[in-house]
């Protein structure tokens, strides 16, 4: 398949189908609605199931059931719907049920603003669980991440979240489906799936919320086995010019694209590096070890107020460099110009 | 030589029930698992639990089973059934679970005509959390969150689930039964069997509402509680079939 021009949302849906997604359960919400629309059009003729649920909550619980039955399944939403899916996401991490959840982030609730945002960072693993959270910054990468996410979910029996934002979902971009990551081989058989006890020679299978000691055993297995394996094997990052940078920018998704524009503008003025986490969890703390010791500051542009990823950046910086946030202004969301302005301001401060 | 008249259904495992003395759940679970045994479908059955006293069922089942979140059993069951259409999928839900937090899920599962079976246990209270007011709590009934008695002007009248679902085309089988007497227990078993047959024949959504006693939270003896099903519940929740299939 040659390169095609596609909307980010549609590219993610197509990638999922090519990855063998058997069922999609969704609910309309801007700016992700092209995902359920694409599945409803494409999945049934290609042998899969599309079902529009009565709510985001129901969709996620259908995903949970379909995953428990052994299916390769997915849902998608935006921030307001993601809140409603979190209870089931937590339940699926505890019962080790794989699935892919695409979150196309926006800023407002309900009838509020639907502009792109990066405000759901803390929902992807706050609480007593962690999920691999991938953050694409262009259409090709969005498709590739969704494609690989199904294998990661199945390999570790843990849900995977794709944390895109409204810009990634809505932008048109070229995508080449021949350039998807290799399919992982030897994925574990889903012998735990609910297919009736006759499928196991009469042995019944129960997927229970563990209670008492069993609960803490499950938590301990996650802490000592699952999460270390994910951290060791699935952490992704892109670093540009951090070894000799005067200032390092740390950003993901659309904010990282704005960083590239700001870097172009400031070329010749000062040396800027970029650390772009491709996985927000596991967070690429190690990437900050390569930063120039003489670097003066780290700036963390995010499409939000106050910053969310900045907490992880501060942990990575470990006091070696001052870390500051730049984000939405009084009039609009983050822009490349705002990053340029912030860089100049910080540069002035650190040299004062 | 004596012959046992009854035995533990094969579809139950060896775990002892955790239900209170006089609780109807024991009878209802026995009926459901006996029907599964008699129909010979245990090896293909997936039980979906709820949250509440009935939520313990997955721990007792000797079939495939899963716990669901509060009110979401029909959504879980939908996901399972859509991936494994040849399996027999049933939910077992109480009134707080199904008729309060889970109204959207049960209405839409029925509306889509999901080929699942729902056993709905109505005991007019939240049992597990200690006897709070349920959507099915009768007017005037005192609970821990309606200490002066349910006031219809303040929080509405109790929901009649079978009547509500009767307005939905996708519901292929709806029946309300009670487990207050041997005769009614036999009728309940017949309805439960019919509800599973509805699924096996691919007719659509099937639900059996079972009027049940909760002596612990009603503050009654088991015998008094069974009497209350008859004297107070059945007059408001009439027994009978609301929807059947050919």
């Amino acid at each position: 398949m040659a390169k095609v021009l596609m909307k980010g949302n549609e590219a993610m849906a197509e990638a999922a189908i090519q990855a063998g997604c058997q069922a999609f359960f969704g609910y309309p919400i801007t700016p992700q609605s092209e995902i359920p629309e694409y599945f409803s059009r494409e999945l049934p003729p290609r042998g899969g199931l599309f079902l529009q649920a009565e709510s985001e909550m129901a969709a996620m619980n259908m995903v949970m059931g379909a995953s428990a039955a052994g299916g390769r399944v997915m849902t998608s939403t935006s921030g307001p719907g993601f809140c409603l899916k979190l209870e089931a996401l937590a339940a699926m991490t505890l019962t080790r049920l794989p699935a892919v959840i695409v979150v196309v982030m926006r800023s407002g609730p309900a009838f509020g603003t639907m502009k792109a945002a990066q405000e759901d960072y803390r929902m992807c693993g706050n609480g007593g669980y962690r999920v691999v959270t991938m953050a694409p910054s262009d259409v090709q990468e969005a498709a590739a991440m969704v494609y690989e996410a199904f294998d990661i979910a199945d390999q570790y029996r843990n849900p995977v979240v794709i944390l895109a934002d409204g810009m990634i979902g809505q932008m048109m971009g070229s995508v080449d489906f021949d350039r998807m990551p290799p399919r992982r081989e030897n994925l574990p058989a889903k012998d735990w799936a609910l297919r009736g006890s006759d499928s196991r020679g009469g042995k019944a299978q129960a997927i229970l919320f563990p209670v008492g000691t069993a609960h803490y055993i499950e938590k301990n297995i996650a802490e000592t086995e699952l999460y270390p394996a994910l951290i060791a094997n699935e952490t992704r990052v892109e670093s540009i010019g951090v070894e000799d940078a005067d200032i390092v920018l740390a950003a993901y998704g659309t904010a990282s694209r704005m960083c590239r524009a700001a870097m172009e503008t400031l070329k010749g003025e000062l040396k800027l590096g970029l650390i772009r986490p491709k996985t927000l969890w596991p967070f690429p703390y190690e990437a900050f070890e390569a930063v120039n010791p003489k670097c003066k500051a780290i700036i963390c542009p995010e499409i939000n107020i106050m910053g969310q990823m900045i907490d992880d950046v501060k942990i990575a910086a470990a006091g070696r460099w001052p870390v500051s946030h730049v984000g939405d202004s009084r009039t609009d969301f983050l822009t490349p110009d705002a990053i340029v302005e912030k860089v100049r301001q910080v540069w002035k401060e650190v040299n004062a | 030589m004596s012959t046992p008249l009854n035995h533990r259904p094969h579809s139950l495992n060896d775990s002892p029930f955790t239900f209170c003395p006089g609780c109807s759940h024991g009878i209802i679970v026995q009926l459901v698992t006996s029907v599964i045994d008699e129909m010979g479908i245990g090896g293909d059955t997936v039980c979906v639990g709820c949250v509440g006293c009935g939520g313990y069922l997955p721990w007792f089942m000797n079939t495939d089973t899963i716990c669901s979140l509060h009110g979401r059993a029909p959504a879980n069951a939908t996901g399972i059934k859509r991936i494994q259409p040849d399996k027999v999928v049933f939910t077992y839900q109480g009134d707080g679970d199904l008729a309060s937090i889970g109204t959207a899920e049960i209405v839409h599962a029925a509306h889509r005509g999901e080929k699942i079976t729902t056993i709905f246990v109505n005991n007019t209270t939240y049992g597990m959390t200690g006897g709070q007011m349920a959507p099915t709590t009768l007017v005037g009934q005192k609970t821990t969150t309606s200490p002066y008695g349910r006031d219809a002007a303040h929080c509405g009248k109790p929901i009649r689930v079978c009547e509500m679902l009767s307005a939905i085309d996708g519901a292929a089988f709806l029946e309300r039964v009670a487990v207050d007497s041997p005769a009614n227990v036999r009728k309940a078993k017949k309805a439960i069997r019919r509800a599973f047959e509805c699924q096996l024949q691919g007719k659509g959504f099937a639900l059996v509402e079972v009027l049940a006693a909760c002596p612990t939270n009603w503050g009654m003896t088991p015998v008094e509680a069974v009497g209350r099903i008859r004297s107070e519940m059945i007059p408001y929740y009439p027994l009978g079939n609301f929807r059947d299939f050919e």
Side-chain angles (χ1 to χ4, degrees):
Chain A
M1 199 169 166
K3 267 190 184 179
V4 286
L5 195 63
M6 278 181 109
K7 210 171 202 183
N9 281 336
E10 296 191 332
M12 288 193 278
E14 175 59 31
I17 297 172
Q18 293 196 19
C21 176
Q22 293 166 279
F24 177 91
F25 303 90
Y27 188 82
I29 181 172
T30 307
Q32 63 85 55
S33 293
E34 293 84 0
I35 298 177
E37 285 170 0
Y38 191 89
F39 274 112
S40 69
R41 197 163 68 232
E42 290 291 327
L43 198 48
R46 290 155 78 173
L49 166 81
F50 167 82
L51 190 61
Q52 182 167 324
E54 60 269 29
S55 67
E56 282 103 346
M57 223 180 321
M60 190 64 185
N61 283 277
M62 289 174 186
V63 162
M64 180 177 163
S67 174
R72 247 190 175 198
V73 293
M74 172 174 153
T75 187
S76 63
T77 188
S78 187
F82 194 34
C83 299
L84 302 176
K85 292 182 188 288
L86 289 182
E87 186 191 20
L89 179 64
M92 291 178 71
T93 61
L94 194 59
T95 48
R96 300 291 297 271
L97 294 172
V100 175
I101 302 101
V102 173
V103 183
V104 186
M105 294 181 286
R106 60 183 248 190
S107 189
F111 266 14
T113 186
M114 289 157 197
K115 289 193 73 162
Q118 296 181 315
E119 298 186 347
D120 303 339
Y121 186 91
R122 293 197 176 109
M123 286 202 279
C124 301
N126 245 11
Y129 62 90
R130 291 293 186 183
V131 287
V132 171
T133 306
M134 308 175 92
S137 72
D138 61 46
V139 174
Q140 177 75 35
E141 190 175 57
M145 283 178 170
V146 168
Y147 187 88
E148 192 175 14
F150 284 92
D151 281 356
I152 296 174
D154 281 352
Q155 180 176 334
Y156 298 94
R157 283 187 65 184
N158 205 48
V160 174
V161 170
I162 308 294
L163 203 63
D165 59 63
M167 297 284 269
I168 303 296
Q170 293 298 320
M171 71 166 55
M172 296 291 286
S174 68
V175 54
D176 182 349
F177 287 100
D178 290 336
R179 283 174 48 223
M180 292 296 108
R183 287 292 286 271
R184 298 191 182 191
E185 286 166 13
N186 305 318
L187 291 175
K190 295 186 177 181
D191 49 8
W192 44 265
L194 303 179
R195 297 181 172 119
S197 60
D198 277 356
S199 70
R200 272 171 249 99
K203 193 183 170 297
Q205 169 74 5
I207 295 177
L208 305 175
F209 299 142
V211 290
T213 306
H215 174 84
Y216 293 99
I217 289 172
E218 282 303 320
K219 293 279 202 184
N220 185 257
I221 289 170
E223 185 180 27
T224 59
E225 296 173 25
L226 173 63
Y227 299 155
L230 289 170
I231 290 167
N233 303 332
E234 308 299 343
T235 308
R236 310 282 165 76
V237 64
E238 178 187 9
S239 294
I240 301 169
V242 297
E243 295 81 1
D244 61 348
D246 298 321
I247 286 181
V248 167
L249 303 174
Y252 70 98
T254 294
S256 74
R257 298 172 72 94
M258 294 183 184
C259 287
R260 288 176 207 271
M263 288 160 84
E264 276 297 312
T265 305
L266 291 166
K267 208 176 239 176
E269 195 172 326
L270 75 172
K271 280 186 228 159
L272 283 177
L274 173 66
I275 293 178
R276 176 173 78 89
K278 297 190 205 179
T279 52
L280 305 178
W281 195 90
F283 189 81
Y285 297 106
E286 283 294 314
F288 291 79
E289 298 308 311
V291 171
N292 179 8
K294 290 177 183 163
C295 166
K296 292 291 169 71
I298 296 178
I299 298 170
C300 199
E302 296 181 64
I303 309 175
N304 55 36
I305 58 165
M306 308 293 285
Q308 299 188 356
M309 186 180 80
I310 193 170
D311 295 350
D312 277 317
V313 174
K314 282 180 177 170
I315 290 168
R320 289 172 286 182
W321 310 281
V323 179
S324 55
H325 161 80
V326 57
D328 299 350
S329 68
R330 268 183 89 90
T331 50
D332 206 349
F333 68 11
L334 180 71
T335 60
D337 286 349
I339 299 173
V340 168
E341 195 185 324
K342 179 76 181 183
V343 169
R344 285 180 176 145
Q345 178 205 327
V346 168
W347 185 242
K348 216 162 125 185
E349 283 167 14
V350 294
N351 287 303
Chain B
M1 203 176 105
S2 61
T3 315
L5 288 173
N6 214 336
H7 59 87
R8 194 176 183 82
H10 179 71
S11 295
L12 284 175
N13 63 29
D14 296 334
S15 308
F17 282 171
T18 47
F19 304 125
C20 300
C23 166
S24 300
H25 271 300
I27 299 170
I28 303 163
V29 167
Q30 215 274 350
L31 293 179
V32 172
T33 49
S34 297
V35 164
I36 291 169
D37 280 9
E38 287 164 20
M39 294 175 78
I41 54 175
D44 285 324
T45 292
V46 182
C47 161
V48 183
C50 67
V51 171
C53 294
Y56 279 119
L57 184 56
W59 274 266
F60 307 142
M61 291 300 289
N62 190 30
T63 69
D64 276 12
T65 184
I66 186 170
C67 296
S68 69
L69 296 172
H70 200 15
R72 318 295 167 228
N76 266 190
T78 296
I80 296 168
K81 185 74 179 183
R82 295 287 184 131
I83 290 290
Q84 307 271 354
D86 58 335
K87 302 301 172 220
V88 181
V89 182
F90 79 95
T91 71
Y92 187 90
Q93 302 174 256
D95 41 12
D97 190 89
L98 182 143
S100 190
I101 195 167
T103 42
E105 282 76 9
I106 198 67
V107 163
H108 285 273
H111 167 70
R112 290 189 302 268
E114 290 297 339
K115 293 169 186 66
I116 60 171
T117 300
T118 291
I119 309 301
F120 166 46
V121 180
N122 177 358
N123 62 9
T124 72
T125 189
Y126 283 81
M128 180 182 260
T129 45
Q132 292 80 16
M133 185 178 73
T136 47
T137 294
L138 295 173
V139 172
Q141 184 180 335
K142 287 183 179 173
T143 71
T144 58
T145 51
S146 59
Y148 309 110
R150 181 180 183 137
D151 177 1
H154 176 59
C155 52
K157 289 182 179 174
I159 292 179
R160 293 186 179 100
V161 167
C162 279
E163 287 83 342
M164 178 178 75
L165 295 179
S166 296
I168 295 174
D169 287 350
F173 181 79
L174 298 168
E175 188 156 323
R176 184 181 289 124
V177 298
V179 287
D180 63 313
S181 67
N184 275 345
V185 167
R186 278 194 291 274
K187 280 186 198 163
K189 186 175 178 183
K190 227 174 124 187
I192 291 167
R193 186 179 175 109
R194 186 89 178 136
F196 277 98
E197 280 165 355
C198 179
Q199 178 176 171
L200 288 174
Q201 293 179 31
K203 299 290 184 185
F205 177 80
L207 177 141
V208 179
E209 175 176 349
V210 187
L211 302 185
C214 180
T216 298
N217 287 303
W218 293 355
M220 293 178 175
T221 67
V223 174
E224 286 168 349
V226 164
R228 179 182 181 253
I229 295 178
R230 223 164 291 149
S231 61
E232 296 182 28
M233 289 179 73
I234 293 176
Y236 187 83
Y237 296 114
L239 303 183
N241 181 271
F242 293 82
R243 183 72 59 77
D244 207 350
F245 55 97
E246 290 289 307

